[in-house]
Amino acid sequence: TTKFIGDIQFKVGDATRKGSELLTLSDLDGYVQGGSWFEEVEGYPEYEIKNENITAYKDESLSMANYNILKINMSNDVLNKIIAAPDVTVVFKFILRKEVIYDYEGNLVKEFTAYVENHQAKGPCITCRTDLKCMVTHWTTFGPEFFIAFDTRLGVNPYSLYMNGELSIQYLLKQDSMVAKKPVVKCDVIDARNALQLYESDVHYFYKPSVVTTVNVDSVDYYKMIYRIPNDYTIPINLNFTFTEHCFGNRWSLIWDGTKWVGENMQGRSNGKIESSKQYLRVNKNNYGASGCYVRCKRSEWNKMLLDDTNENFMKVMFANGTTKLLFKDGTEANGSAHSIEIDRCDSTVEIYTKEGYDYLPLQLQIQNSNKEEVESLLNRIDKIVYDMSLDGASNRLTFRWDELHKNEHYGYDIDLIAELDSIEKINYYWSSSNINIATRDIELYLRQQYTDPIEEVNWDPTTNAFKYIIQQQFYEITPRPDAATTLYTDFNITSSKIITADNIMTMRSDLNMVTNTVDVVSYDVKDIKNNVETLNSEMAEQAAKTKYLQKEVDKVDMKANIGIALGAVGCVLGATGIGVAGKALSFASKAAQTGGRELINTVTKVSDVGTNVVEDIAGKLTDELPDIGADVFFGDMVSVPVGRMMRSLSNKDKLNNIIAWCDEEYVPVNEINFTDELDDPSKVAMTLTSTMDMCKRFRHTMKPMIKTLATTVEKSVSSTDLVRDDIIDVVGKYVNG
């Protein structure tokens, strides 16, 4: 062995080191054993939450509330070591995945903790107030084990949530460990602030199926999907497996009874579609003046298949399986029979019929209550009247509103019935059956190909296996939730400059809702808007029918009036000019192409209702045309108006010649009439029926002087003696016999 006298120096960068200062292996052992680099920290017992350690029960011993309780069982040795911890040491965290709880101040609460205080286990107790807000307190009442308790009025069962993966339980206590004094340690396993924490769970991981195929069972074709379960996994008793897909609207639910799966694992459905026909399909009024409405069902091959290939009227078959229901404005509903009000078929005098691919059925609304005040009070509380038709558990709902009451002398009132959603385009239908293989623990799901009907938003190719399409789209939900299985957890964001790849990065509908919190809200709003649009379609159809009826009645009035009034050289007749509706008044469209529509601003009943200057101008134009042919004052009710020549007594001079001269004159049309007040504008003033009749009488009145002149002249010119003849008749008759 070479020995050096003195010391050896080393140059490390700019620093000088001596050989005597270098660490030896024995020095390193001393550091590790003596804890110079690490500090040994005593922890708590290791504990893994298993299904067998979870129990649940309902407690009704307290006067303030009853509770659904989930309890975590552990050995006394483990429990005693845990409760020996300092006060307010948090042991368990409970995380709600979907349920929504609001505390006393209105804050959303999804996480609850159980902790140690005074060497006792305290669990969270969620108690409901009258306003559905909650008080979160921590009690030892349901101990000595750790637990979580929910007021039964909240409708939350923690055990069911846990079994479905919608309640996660995390054990937070650390075990014995070595804590490094330096901030960075390089090793294979680390427990650090920036590390992922592993939380183990006994929930089996269900996400993607093991097998997707097609099979034929009893001569019926099915799509089939299998979830294989490992033999070493113990399936908890009463575990509820559910698979809900949102492409075709199906849901499977199976429960493990200890030896086999129980439930209907074969499904199929028709996604019904009921909308407004956008027609005003009325039934003529009955003897009491009430009218009903028609509803209809599309006569398609799909609907025929669902109705067992019947040849009867589809709407009649559907109606036979229905019930009248009342939807009240406060959100509640009740059967119509409870209030003696029913939607029923019209009597046999109103026929059912088929037209343009639809089967029609006439309906009426009746209430067996003769007290009008009670009936009106009931109707004021109702928002909608609906008729629910059930086909193998699937509801097909028609909606209606109502109008006037009509007394029925026999039992109560007939009520005008108006349809809103009145057209069944596609029948809503559920089909299910069971084909459980008791020889296997695997989960087998079947979808009947005949009843595979995609929702409107899904673009599915029928040549593609429906289960394969569902899985590829990842538009489905499973319980127990996959994210409740053993999980690596962190409270921090995770960012990568590379692609993160995994088959369990979920884009399922439920998880998207958790991220955006808007999908369901928007879906609800869209549905609500669609219902309002359908109601509006019905009301527009009703309004269109009323407008058409009104036009017919106007035409009848025109025909009954049978009066044609010449409007000038254009030769229009009233009624041919056209009548429209303007923003604030009636608009009369001129027949002349260059003249636009005019709004009605006033009506007159008497000629003297208009301004003086207008009367003056009218009188001037008329008296300029009429000669002095009689002694009567023209328009006697205008005596007080100073209109000059018109008010003088008519001259008796040469009356017959004046009449003849007047008859020979050319017609002079009335063009513009002067006015100062806007309300007197002759182009915007309409005559009432009274003023029209008065105008006709006045016209006839103005003819009296001429008729009188003619009658007087004839009377003076021809006397009664002028009509006596004294001629001798010289005509002699001769009778010839034979």
Side-chain angles (χ1 to χ4, degrees), residues 603-723:
T603 58
V604 294
T605 301
K606 298 179 182 178
V607 177
S608 57
D609 285 345
V610 295
T612 303
N613 60 335
V614 177
V615 173
E616 224 176 84
D617 203 16
I618 293 174
K621 292 180 182 299
L622 292 178
T623 54
D624 284 346
E625 183 178 321
L626 291 173
D628 297 337
I629 54 176
D632 291 22
V633 177
F634 182 59
F635 287 6
D637 62 345
M638 297 166 63
V639 172
S640 60
V641 182
V643 292
R645 179 184 174 192
M646 189 189 82
M647 300 309 302
R648 297 195 300 269
S649 298
L650 296 175
S651 172
N652 293 322
K653 181 181 178 182
D654 202 8
K655 296 176 182 178
L656 289 178
N657 290 334
N658 287 339
I659 292 174
I660 294 171
W662 174 62
C663 291
D664 291 337
E665 289 179 358
E666 293 292 332
Y667 173 71
V668 178
V670 177
N671 295 319
E672 294 184 358
I673 299 176
N674 297 323
F675 66 93
T676 56
D677 191 337
E678 181 67 23
L679 293 177
D680 290 335
D681 185 352
S683 65
K684 297 182 180 180
V685 176
M687 297 174 61
T688 65
L689 177 60
T690 304
S691 61
T692 303
M693 294 178 64
D694 185 58
M695 179 64 76
C696 294
K697 291 187 68 177
R698 290 177 185 278
F699 179 75
R700 186 176 63 183
H701 183 68
T702 60
M703 299 299 294
K704 289 180 180 178
M706 292 178 286
I707 296 173
K708 181 179 179 181
T709 299
L710 293 173
T712 303
T713 303
V714 170
E715 182 181 22
K716 291 181 178 179
S717 301
V718 182
S719 64
S720 59
T721 55
D722 293 334
L723 299 177

Side-chain angles (χ1 to χ4, degrees), residues 549-615:
Y549 173 78
L550 180 61
Q551 183 60 48
K552 290 181 179 179
E553 293 302 312
V554 170
D555 292 342
K556 288 181 182 178
V557 171
D558 280 346
M559 294 174 63
K560 289 180 179 179
N562 198 22
I563 298 175
I565 303 178
L567 297 181
V570 183
C572 304
V573 175
L574 184 61
T577 57
I579 301 176
V581 178
K584 57 186 177 182
L586 289 177
S587 176
F588 291 80
S590 173
K591 192 170 182 179
Q594 70 274 14
T595 307
R598 293 171 177 165
E599 289 185 352
L600 175 65
I601 61 171
N602 197 9
T603 58
V604 294
T605 301
K606 298 179 182 178
V607 177
S608 57
D609 285 345
V610 295
T612 303
N613 60 335
V614 177
V615 173

